[in-house]
């Protein structure tokens, strides 16, 4: 029998059952549902609705359900439409009458919202750890490349020299923002809906503050209607996961490019690459491609959640059952991608000679313009002078640093012999030691900054 069979004469059709049943998805909530049942039994006891003996029987029954589940001796029946129905049915089979009292003052609406939040609390904690692991792996690599120079790009064209550490720390700073966003989600999740009933709150004197504490929440939710029908925490988490995946996919794209024969900056290990069934020589960056692909999947999950609640009346409706497949998937995929990227970072080999050899000498043009600016020439005029110089260098197939001082002075009389400093990579990086810059001191300061959250 279903939990709600009383007012029905007929039974559900097969196709309705197939559409309605959520057990294969929400079975994941079983450990949380058992905790919620235990806490609710104690709250009912404190409100004199259950005897201490009944609570003991309920706790024993819940324990047995947990053991049966772990041992794989768990047989759902056709009418166990979701995890909550299954637990109540099995509890009643095991302990009889006391099992029939467990749903006093409760609805599956506040129950599922509470189970979901308990699960999300743990998932968010795990995500925080995993984001941190990736941040640590990147920071460790950055530490050994503080003075390694690579071409920095804009528009996929070489732009200015940067340090490899700076590039890697760009990723770490994105992850730091992700970490903060996850912590905000943790705060949003930290309210207990239990006691909200179906819509209006339980009609019994339940101490909701104590109940919330008992379940590990900081406080109870403040409005029963909102608590059972809004899914803001799911939206916040899905948005945060989408941003994480966008970060991962952009770095994945870089790494795919950097590992090509044409760039050759990066060699990825066998652990995170695959071969071709046809072309024996191939080694493909599948880890990065999968991460890039899964980003669209997670963004799709976020889209599902937003369109699910958009325009939904502000009370529980069964549409909300569809929140779980989407958010579970987004969490699973993001976790696996974070772990895969961490492994890819830890096993990556950077070809620093290749990076240095690939530096286009024209990359120092901005430094030459900056030099003239420091000699009192307005930047726009300096930019034009160096533009002409670059044009000349390209037509003559010369490098900027090969011009003699008299040759340079033909472009602008303000050039002096110190202009050679513009073509010294080390000095070029040292000039950028301001906060957030690519200079080695700045990069070290960035690493120090990240130590706090890593
Ligand atoms: N399986 C349902 C869900 O996930 C539980 C709540 C059912 N509530 C109801 N009024 N039918 O949303």
């Amino acid at each position: 029998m279903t939990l709600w069979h009383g007012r029905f004469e007929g039974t559900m059709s097969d196709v309705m059952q197939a559409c309605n049943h959520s057990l294969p998805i929400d079975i994941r909530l079983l450990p949380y549902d058992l905790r919620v049942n235990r806490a609710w039994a104690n709250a009912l006891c404190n409100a004199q609705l259950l005897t201490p003996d009944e609570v003991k029987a309920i706790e024993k029954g819940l324990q047995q359900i947990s053991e049966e589940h772990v041992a794989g001796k768990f047989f759902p029946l056709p009418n166990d439409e979701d995890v909550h129905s299954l637990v109540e049915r099995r509890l009643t089979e095991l302990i009889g009458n006391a099992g029939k009292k467990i749903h006093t003052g409760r609805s599956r609406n506040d129950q599922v919202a509470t189970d979901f939040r308990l699960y999300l609390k743990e998932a968010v904690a795990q995500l925080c750890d995993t984001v941190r692991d990736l941040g640590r792996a990147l920071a460790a690599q950055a530490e050994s490349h503080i003075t390694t120079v690579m071409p920095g790009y804009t528009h996929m064209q070489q732009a200015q020299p940067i340090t490899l550490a700076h590039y890697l720390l760009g990723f770490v700073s994105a992850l730091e923002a992700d970490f903060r966003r996850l912590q905000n989600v943790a705060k949003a999740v930290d309210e207990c809906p239990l006691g909200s009933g179906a819509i209006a709150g339980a009609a019994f004197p339940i101490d909701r503050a104590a109940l919330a504490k008992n379940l590990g929440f900081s406080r109870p939710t403040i409005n029963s209607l909102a608590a059972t029908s809004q899914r803001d925490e799911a939206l916040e988490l899905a948005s945060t996961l989408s941003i994480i995946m966008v970060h991962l996919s952009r770095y994945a794209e870089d790494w795919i490019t950097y590992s090509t024969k044409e760039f050759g900056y990066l060699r990825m290990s066998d652990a995170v690459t695959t071969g071709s069934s046809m072309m024996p020589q191939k080694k493909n960056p599948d880890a990065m491609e999968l991460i890039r692909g899964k980003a669209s999947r997670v963004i799709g999950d976020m889209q599902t959640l937003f369109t699910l609640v958009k325009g939904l009346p502000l009370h529980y409706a069964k549409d909300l059952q569809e929140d779980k497949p989407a958010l579970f998937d987004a969490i699973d995929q993001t976790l696996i991608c974070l772990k895969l990227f961490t492994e890819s970072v830890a096993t990556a080999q950077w070809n620093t000679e290749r990076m240095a050899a690939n530096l286009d000498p024209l990359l120092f043009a901005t430094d030459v313009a900056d030099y003239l600016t420091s000699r009192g020439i307005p930047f726009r005029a300096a930019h034009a002078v160096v533009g002409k110089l670059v044009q000349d260098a390209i037509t003559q197939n010369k490098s900027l640093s090969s011009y003699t001082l008299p040759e340079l002075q033909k472009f602008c009389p303000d050039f002096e012999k110190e202009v050679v400093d513009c073509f010294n990579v080390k000095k070029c990086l040292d000039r950028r030691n301001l906060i957030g810059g690519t200079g080695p001191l700045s990069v070290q300061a960035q690493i120090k900054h990240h130590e706090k959250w890593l």
Side-chain angles (χ1 to χ4, degrees):
M1 276 189 288
T2 58
L3 295 177
W4 38 262
H5 63 278
R7 64 97 65 222
F8 284 79
E9 275 174 23
T11 53
M12 221 187 261
S13 73
D14 288 348
V15 66
M16 174 57 190
Q17 197 166 54
C19 186
N20 181 48
H21 271 219
S22 60
L23 189 59
I25 299 288
D26 60 29
I27 188 71
R28 186 190 290 230
L29 296 178
L30 184 91
Y32 310 96
D33 201 71
L34 297 177
R35 274 167 67 189
V36 165
N37 272 289
R38 198 171 299 124
W40 187 243
N42 280 289
L44 289 176
C45 183
N46 291 339
Q48 252 96 91
L49 291 153
L50 283 178
T51 66
D53 282 347
E54 286 171 325
V55 174
K56 253 186 226 135
I58 288 171
E59 286 183 338
K60 202 158 162 262
L62 295 171
Q63 180 59 30
Q64 183 168 338
I65 295 174
S66 170
E67 284 160 17
E68 286 174 354
H69 179 60
V70 172
K73 288 193 215 135
F74 214 53
F75 302 106
L77 299 178
N79 277 330
D80 297 335
E81 58 181 22
D82 55 24
V83 67
H84 327 291
S85 311
L86 176 142
V87 169
E88 189 178 328
R89 188 265 301 162
R90 185 68 186 134
L91 187 66
T92 306
E93 271 172 14
L94 290 171
I95 66 167
N97 246 356
K100 290 187 186 165
K101 295 186 180 177
I102 189 66
H103 213 55
T104 309
R106 190 177 72 178
S107 158
R108 281 181 292 164
N109 299 354
D110 60 345
Q111 197 177 351
V112 71
T114 311
D115 289 9
F116 202 34
R117 282 174 183 247
L118 282 175
Y119 163 79
L120 291 182
K121 265 168 91 97
E122 286 182 13
V124 169
Q126 203 187 341
L127 281 156
C128 281
D129 287 346
T130 316
V131 166
R132 210 193 266 124
D133 286 345
L134 177 54
R136 283 186 186 142
L138 287 160
Q141 291 237 342
E143 214 140 356
S144 42
H145 291 291
I146 289 180
T147 55
T148 303
V149 188
M150 72 181 284
Y153 296 82
T154 64
H155 309 268
M156 211 59 208
Q157 308 286 324
Q158 288 202 16
Q160 290 186 330
I162 57 170
T163 50
L164 176 53
H166 193 56
Y167 171 75
L168 294 167
L169 291 168
F171 199 170
V172 181
S173 71
L175 293 172
E176 184 190 19
D178 293 331
F179 186 80
R180 304 263 170 258
R181 273 184 283 272
L182 284 169
Q183 288 185 323
N184 283 338
V185 177
K187 279 186 213 138
V189 170
D190 195 21
E191 292 184 350
C192 180
L194 201 59
S196 298
I199 157 172
F204 300 103
I206 300 291
D207 181 348
R208 288 195 63 219
L211 177 61
K213 284 263 174 308
N214 189 8
L215 279 167
F217 290 102
S218 291
R219 67 194 75 83
T221 51
I222 201 70
N223 180 293
S224 58
L225 198 45
T228 47
S229 69
Q230 59 89 339
R231 291 292 182 267
D232 289 7
E233 63 290 343
L235 300 184
E236 274 186 52
L237 182 53
S239 309
T240 299
L241 298 181
S242 298
I243 299 173
I244 292 176
M245 290 305 296
V246 165
H247 288 151
L248 297 191
S249 77
R250 292 185 70 172
Y251 282 91
E253 169 63 13
D254 270 5
W255 287 36
I256 291 166
T257 311
Y258 291 168
S259 67
T260 57
K261 179 109 189 138
E262 288 71 14
F263 275 75
Y265 297 169
L266 176 65
R267 187 141 17 102
M268 274 185 251
S269 94
D270 288 1
V272 294
T273 47
T274 70
S276 157
S277 58
M278 185 187 188
M279 300 165 281
Q281 85 285 9
K282 287 299 292 289
K283 180 166 173 174
N284 297 325
D286 287 30
M288 297 296 119
E289 291 170 350
L290 285 164
I291 288 168
R292 198 173 52 180
K294 283 176 190 289
S296 60
R297 179 164 163 184
V298 173
I299 293 166
D301 291 329
M302 175 189 68
Q303 189 103 5
T304 299
L305 286 161
F306 273 88
T307 48
L308 188 65
V309 289
K310 185 219 156 284
L312 206 63
L314 196 77
H315 53 242
Y316 179 85
K318 198 61 170 275
D319 314 41
L320 291 173
Q321 180 161 283
E322 294 300 323
D323 60 356
K324 284 171 284 300
L327 196 56
F328 289 168
D329 186 63
I331 292 168
D332 293 348
Q333 297 307 320
T334 307
L335 276 172
I336 202 154
C337 289
L338 283 165
K339 288 177 190 165
L340 188 54
F341 220 130
T342 305
E343 193 165 298
S344 305
V345 171
T347 56
Q349 279 180 285
W350 295 98
N351 186 342
T352 56
E353 285 99 58
R354 171 78 188 193
M355 288 174 183
N358 226 9
L359 282 174
D360 180 346
L362 291 177
L363 287 187
F364 301 107
T366 312
D367 286 78
V368 179
D370 287 347
Y371 163 80
L372 289 177
T373 305
S374 68
R375 310 219 8 111
I377 299 185
F379 178 74
R380 189 53 53 221
H383 186 285
V385 167
V386 182
K388 283 276 169 260
L389 180 62
V390 166
Q391 202 179 51
D392 191 71
I394 292 168
T395 29
Q396 298 207 52
N397 199 17
K398 277 174 72 165
S399 117
L400 284 185
S401 57
S402 68
Y403 282 77
T404 63
L405 191 54
E407 282 172 338
L408 287 174
Q409 283 166 342
K410 281 197 204 124
F411 288 87
C412 176
D414 290 79
F415 277 117
E416 297 290 350
K417 64 178 192 316
E418 290 74 24
V419 69
V420 292
D421 287 350
C422 294
F423 308 113
N424 178 323
V425 174
K426 190 180 166 316
K427 289 192 176 160
C428 176
L429 294 174
D430 284 342
R431 279 191 286 273
R432 292 174 172 82
N433 269 327
L434 77 173
I435 294 172
T438 194
L441 293 179
S442 159
V443 158
Q444 271 163 331
Q446 290 180 49
I447 293 176
K448 189 110 208 87
H449 162 90
H450 288 302
E451 275 168 10
K452 274 176 237 133
W453 75 276
L454 292 176

